[in-house]
Amino acid sequence: MDNNRQKGILYIVVPCFNEEEALAPSAAKLLNKLHELKEAKIVCEQSRIVFVDDGSKDRTWDIIKGLYEEHEEIKGLRFAHNRGHQNAILAGMMYAVKYCDYTITIDADLQQDVNAMERFISAYMEGNEIVYGVRNSRDTDGLFKKLSATLFYKSMKVMDCNIYENSADYRLMSKKALTALAEYGEVNLFLRGIIPDIGLKSSVVHFDVFPRMQGESKYSLSKMFTLAVDGITSFSIKPIRMVFMMGILALLVGVGMVIHIFYEHYFGYTVSGWSSILMSIWVLGGAILLSLGIIGEYVGRNYMETKHRPRYYYWEILSRDEEIEEAEG
Ligand code: UDP
Ligand code: MG
């Protein structure tokens, strides 16, 4: 089989959103790493770094252009507007698959330890198609991020999603895995859930996480929330089943209420009862609203998916490769 592969062409894919502060130092570090890997004959000469500008509003694209002009190892892709971290990674990987044997995705702030790359590559050399990066600890995160991440991974487990706890989007994917990933047509993307679903041979590399050195986190609370909701709803219909169970429960309570009301009517005090009516209005009203909300979540997603909108659109491409690189979605 694919055991003990030959050295291959590596494409490092870096999503960037308003990263003007972090980009230059990170690019220098990544170029250094790439040179090291080339010199050690771990990767082929044609290996590259692809920066994907996710519709930045700052000088990010100018910096990428400057880097491209200066270094032949650098390529750039630019989205017309902000499509999100997951789409930026996907775009980079789908672009790279045409040229490379495997990709490694890493954040532009290099919070993830670049020195773990050798271990990712040796796992690939041993025949793994996907190598997951799993963070050693969450010490560098604030309390809120720690708690929300723990809650998120626990609920993903409950929802039957096959996800590695504390896995990150620092990940190696072979050409074969990338080709398989291209078949997933959904618009609401949650790569950490989809990739294990591909089911190819994989292994795990543990890496350290550092605090962000330049700039601020580009993951706003609303972006984190959207990612979590995407993660949960794209993998499971359990929330719908929960609504169903809640409905049964509400019905049972309703039957109890009817018996109680009849009893009060014939044997008790007829004027009382407004409290039980009020209670049922609130309980049922709450349950109905909640259920509608959850169902709406799925209906809304269905609506988005049926549009088959392109996920992203390349605005500009910087590349020295000969092939005609048409804009594609
Ligand atoms: N990012 C992106 N699009 C977005 C938000 C973030 O491409 O809409 C990129 C960002 O530039 C970085 C990576 O995703 O390379 C991770 O973001 P960040 O470091 O801000 O997240 P955190 O480490 O705080 O979770
Ligand atoms: Mg970060």
Side-chain angles (χ1 to χ4, degrees), residues 107 109 111 212:
D107 289 349
D109 54 9
Q111 281 189 272
R212 193 184 244 274

Side-chain angles (χ1 to χ4, degrees), residues 7-10 44 99-103 124 173-176:
K7 75 172 176 178
I9 302 173
L10 160 68
C44 294
Y99 308 102
C100 71
D101 294 307
Y102 58 99
T103 57
Y124 165 81
M173 303 220 9
S174 71
K175 203 181 191 89
K176 195 185 242 176

Side-chain angles (χ1 to χ4, degrees), residues 283-297:
V283 172
L284 279 181
I288 289 168
L289 280 181
L290 188 69
S291 317
L292 276 179
I294 297 177
I295 291 169
E297 206 44 64

Side-chain angles (χ1 to χ4, degrees), residues 170-219:
Y170 188 17
R171 190 190 301 109
L172 182 149
M173 303 220 9
S174 71
K175 203 181 191 89
K176 195 185 242 176
L178 292 168
T179 312
L181 179 64
E183 298 294 316
Y184 284 73
E186 58 210 270
V187 173
N188 286 308
L189 257 195
F190 183 65
L191 292 172
R192 271 169 250 181
I194 292 176
I195 293 170
D197 200 65
I198 297 173
L200 289 169
K201 187 172 177 215
S202 68
S203 75
V204 166
V205 162
H206 290 266
F207 66 87
D208 289 325
V209 180
F210 309 117
R212 193 184 244 274
M213 301 306 256
Q214 296 89 9
E216 284 170 357
S217 174
K218 308 298 182 255
Y219 251 97

